[in-house]
Amino acid sequence: MEEKMVAQWALVRAVLAILQWWGFNVTVIIMNKWIFQKLDFKFPLTVSCIHFICSAIGAYLAIKVLKLKPLIEVDPEDRWRRIFPMSFVFCINIVLGNVSLRYIPVSFMQTIKSFTPATTVFLQWLVWRKYFDWRIWTALVPIVGGILLTSVTELSFNIFGFFAALLGCLATSTKTILAESLLHGYKFDSINTVYYMAPFATMILAVPALLLEGSGVVQWVQTHHQQLDSSLLIIFGSGVFAFCLNFSIFYVIHSTTAVTFNVAGNLKVAVAVMVSWLVFRNPIPALNAFGCAVTLSGCTFYGYVRHKLSQQPGTPRLGTPRMGGNRVEMLPLVSDKLDEKV
């Protein structure tokens, strides 16, 4: 009886963890789009910088003040040699995501973001000369096909926003691959990751944001002074929710299995698309919706293939080569559970 209650509580905890992760993720996405579209605050570098500042403060309070997570000590030399390059790519990833949100609908951006498994496998194959099982390549076919169909049928297609989202996928893939090589030996959780990376990212982004968008922000403040308080509340509120999203990932990681996380992640995209349509009413043609569904189904199938391959006897852990003739067979470093950080 007691074991049954423990199992039921574990299930309830997993469901609650996924729901709050969905809630924070969709809220951040919708708020960012609202900032760019409804508030006419078209400054993605500044928005990203505000997110990093809020996340840095939140991580400091969570670790140093509230003691919610123990601090993982990192050598000062490693902070610059390992964490700074990761922070740079992390910064580019977030900025490109916000830039794409300024120009294209949430539904289109989220669908393109699902292209990340394909870009990660391709980068590992092209740059690191890694060999992958044929089933991995086959699982990528519906993802690529769904992205192409969605792009062709997107009524609000914008070439700049499209390439920003696509480059964001490459940045996410690069971050995932670099994390395996640069952060080995450090078992970072989401909060410690933000604690170390957010200050670096703020430092990297502050000067470009000031130089490129500073005058525009000042002009925006002058022309929106009547609703300035509510607008700033939304802008800084998105930064607070961005940190909450990072914190929520910690509970999802420890409450679900890899397969559940993969399926929940793809369903999260569907929820974000539905909510964005309800809020912004951007037109979604039938073929466009079908392409999005194909992409998400492909991502789920891809996660299933990875899980099955990882369960095979003798299969190495992610990032560990296995010799097969004169080739090295790898499981791709994708769907990292910390990739949802905003």
Side-chain angles (χ1 to χ4, degrees):
M1 186 67 178
E2 184 177 348
E3 293 182 358
K4 185 178 180 180
M5 291 184 63
V6 171
Q8 289 176 342
W9 168 243
L11 177 61
V12 170
R13 187 177 64 177
V15 172
L16 291 176
I18 290 173
L19 289 177
Q20 53 91 30
W21 173 46
W22 283 3
F24 285 127
N25 190 279
V26 173
T27 300
V28 170
I29 293 172
I30 298 300
M31 289 184 74
N32 286 352
K33 186 63 178 179
W34 187 276
I35 289 168
F36 296 133
Q37 184 170 318
K38 300 296 185 179
L39 300 184
D40 200 35
F41 191 84
K42 302 184 183 301
F43 309 105
L45 297 182
T46 303
V47 171
S48 300
C49 197
I50 290 172
H51 283 195
F52 289 135
I53 292 172
C54 292
S55 294
I57 295 174
Y60 179 85
L61 293 175
I63 292 177
K64 291 289 191 177
V65 179
L66 301 178
K67 308 292 184 181
L68 298 177
K69 288 291 296 179
L71 176 65
I72 298 176
E73 298 291 343
V74 178
D75 294 335
E77 182 181 349
D78 281 346
R79 296 185 185 186
W80 288 98
R81 185 167 58 91
R82 296 188 181 189
I83 296 180
F84 182 80
M86 283 288 300
S87 301
F88 184 78
V89 180
F90 177 53
C91 181
I92 293 176
N93 179 31
I94 301 305
V95 169
L96 287 172
N98 284 332
V99 168
S100 65
L101 269 180
R102 175 184 170 181
Y103 292 99
I104 59 178
V106 172
S107 56
F108 191 30
M109 187 273 283
Q110 285 288 291
T111 305
I112 297 174
K113 190 176 177 64
S114 301
F115 197 56
T116 301
T119 57
T120 306
V121 171
F122 181 74
L123 278 178
Q124 288 185 284
W125 172 77
L126 181 66
V127 179
W128 282 270
R129 298 298 179 184
K130 304 294 175 62
Y131 166 74
F132 296 106
D133 188 281
W134 65 270
R135 286 166 288 186
I136 289 293
W137 293 105
T138 302
L140 294 177
V141 172
I143 299 178
V144 177
I147 294 291
L148 291 175
L149 181 59
T150 305
S151 301
V152 170
T153 58
E154 176 57 50
L155 297 179
S156 304
F157 184 86
N158 178 282
I159 190 67
F160 190 72
F162 171 77
F163 277 107
L166 195 59
L167 290 174
C169 292
L170 290 173
T172 300
S173 301
T174 303
K175 175 172 67 71
T176 304
I177 296 171
L178 285 177
E180 182 71 14
S181 58
L182 292 178
L183 299 183
H184 64 274
Y186 292 107
K187 296 182 178 180
F188 278 146
D189 54 68
S190 58
I191 302 302
N192 274 276
T193 302
V194 175
Y195 178 86
Y196 283 107
M197 289 188 183
F200 275 133
T202 303
M203 179 179 66
I204 294 168
L205 194 58
V207 174
L210 184 63
L211 293 177
L212 298 176
E213 299 179 349
S215 59
V217 172
V218 172
Q219 185 178 1
W220 179 87
V221 170
Q222 293 173 347
T223 56
H224 292 76
H225 62 275
Q226 292 182 346
Q227 62 219 32
L228 187 61
D229 291 342
S230 60
S231 297
L232 290 179
L233 181 64
I234 294 175
I235 293 171
F236 281 92
S238 69
V240 174
F241 276 108
F243 168 72
C244 292
L245 171 60
N246 287 286
F247 200 77
S248 70
I249 293 173
F250 168 75
Y251 292 104
V252 179
I253 290 173
H254 288 81
S255 302
T256 63
T257 64
V259 175
T260 302
F261 185 88
N262 177 266
V263 175
N266 294 322
L267 289 176
K268 172 184 63 65
V269 175
V271 172
V273 170
M274 182 181 66
V275 174
S276 70
W277 179 82
L278 291 173
V279 174
F280 300 104
R281 295 294 179 176
N282 56 289
I284 303 178
L287 280 177
N288 188 278
F290 178 72
C292 179
V294 170
T295 301
L296 297 182
S297 299
C299 290
T300 303
F301 176 61
Y302 173 81
Y304 173 78
V305 171
R306 286 186 64 242
H307 176 71
K308 284 297 183 183
L309 288 175
S310 67
Q311 297 300 311
Q312 290 181 356
T315 301
R317 294 178 59 193
L318 296 184
T320 306
R322 181 179 70 195
M323 300 307 297
N326 60 347
R327 297 181 296 182
V328 179
E329 183 174 341
M330 302 282 292
L331 289 183
L333 299 171
V334 292
S335 298
D336 181 9
K337 289 188 175 184
L338 298 183
D339 274 350
E340 292 295 330
K341 292 184 293 296
V342 176

